Amino acid sequence: MTGPRIFESLDAEWALVCAESGRAEMVLGWLHEGGVLLGDERAPGGLGDVLAGLERRDRAQGRVHSDRWMRVLLERAVGEGAGAQLAARVVVQAMLPGAVRMTQRLLRAGRDFDETGQVVVACLYQVVRRYPLHRTSGVAANLLLETLHLASCELQADTETDALPWHPALESAAVPGEPTADDPAETAWRTALGEQAAKAGLLRADEIPDGARGELVELLVWAVAAGLLDGVRARGIADESRAGARESAERAGVSAVTWRQRRSRTVRQLRAVADQWVQAA
């Protein structure tokens, strides 16, 4: 199962879709027409096996492969009729792991996981059914980034929290020719998080929020949005946690004792914020 109720329901629905005869052959026919070959088209085990085969090839061949097969199905999904619904459903199922993680990261105080997940899934369906086919690179990341924008705006209307910023240049989430992350959801999230963190002054122009640094920045962005930290304090924490910050402080005349006291105060404050973050999640 992919996660709590909303995603369990989608997985159960997917099992029913896969059980209907002729579905695997229909999707394989579209893929074959689009030049996407799995090597075992003649004897598919079912629609679930088709998707699993595509995902295995994605891991082996990377974004070029996922771009190709997703575009084939999206060309069908933006149309009308049962074929469009089936194509959209396959793409949505492929994107569900990213949708789960997006739901977790969009949680705020007062938001329910399943209600947030319903918004995310509804927005994902909208994005799939109206995907701009001229965007041929980084399809999975683009789907998630636009879903993130729509979902955050929907949730903002309900909870009056700040929505994540949106920029039309979706290709920035997956630059052609550059190595891409294994998980397009992470790519999309880092892009949106980086924009919001930079706007709040938590990142320098050349910083990329990844690893432990990215987790800290994500916590600070959430804390400011939730009203647990003001922007000045969040920027101070971001500055003192950068590599080389202690050396810079010493050059500015800050004693080792003062630095340790400052760090202890920051740790206590972040521990309290993190506790509330966990409770909200």
Side-chain angles (χ1 to χ4, degrees), residues 116-267:
T116 303
Q118 288 171 5
V119 171
V120 169
V121 171
C123 291
L124 176 58
Y125 264 107
Q126 290 182 50
V127 171
V128 168
R129 292 301 302 269
R130 67 185 192 194
Y131 187 81
L133 295 174
H134 67 274
R135 294 192 181 113
T136 58
S137 179
V139 173
N142 290 344
L143 285 169
L144 286 169
L145 189 54
E146 188 164 357
T147 299
L148 179 61
H149 164 64
L150 290 178
S152 61
C153 289
E154 290 280 348
L155 293 166
Q156 179 193 27
D158 291 337
T159 63
E160 298 182 356
T161 58
D162 292 333
L164 290 166
W166 170 245
H167 297 273
L170 285 171
E171 284 74 12
S172 64
V175 181
E178 294 290 332
T180 58
D182 291 337
D183 185 357
E186 291 299 315
T187 304
W189 181 260
R190 283 197 304 271
T191 300
L193 176 63
E195 294 287 353
Q196 191 176 30
K199 182 179 179 181
L202 302 176
L203 291 176
R204 292 172 179 165
D206 57 346
E207 275 192 280
I208 299 174
D210 56 6
R213 175 70 175 167
E215 292 175 0
L216 173 63
V217 169
E218 185 174 348
L219 177 62
L220 292 174
V221 168
W222 178 85
V224 172
L228 300 176
L229 285 177
D230 61 39
V232 173
R233 179 60 180 139
R235 288 191 290 273
I237 293 173
D239 287 340
E240 71 180 45
S241 64
R242 287 191 175 93
R246 180 171 182 173
E247 291 77 5
S248 297
E250 289 175 349
R251 289 194 295 270
V254 177
S255 69
V257 173
T258 300
W259 176 261
R260 286 196 297 272
Q261 291 174 341
R262 180 187 298 176
R263 295 290 287 175
S264 295
R265 184 172 64 252
T266 296
V267 169

Side-chain angles (χ1 to χ4, degrees), residues 58 61-69 136:
D58 288 348
Q61 301 180 28
R63 189 187 65 191
V64 172
H65 182 263
S66 65
D67 284 348
R68 188 181 303 122
W69 75 259
T136 58

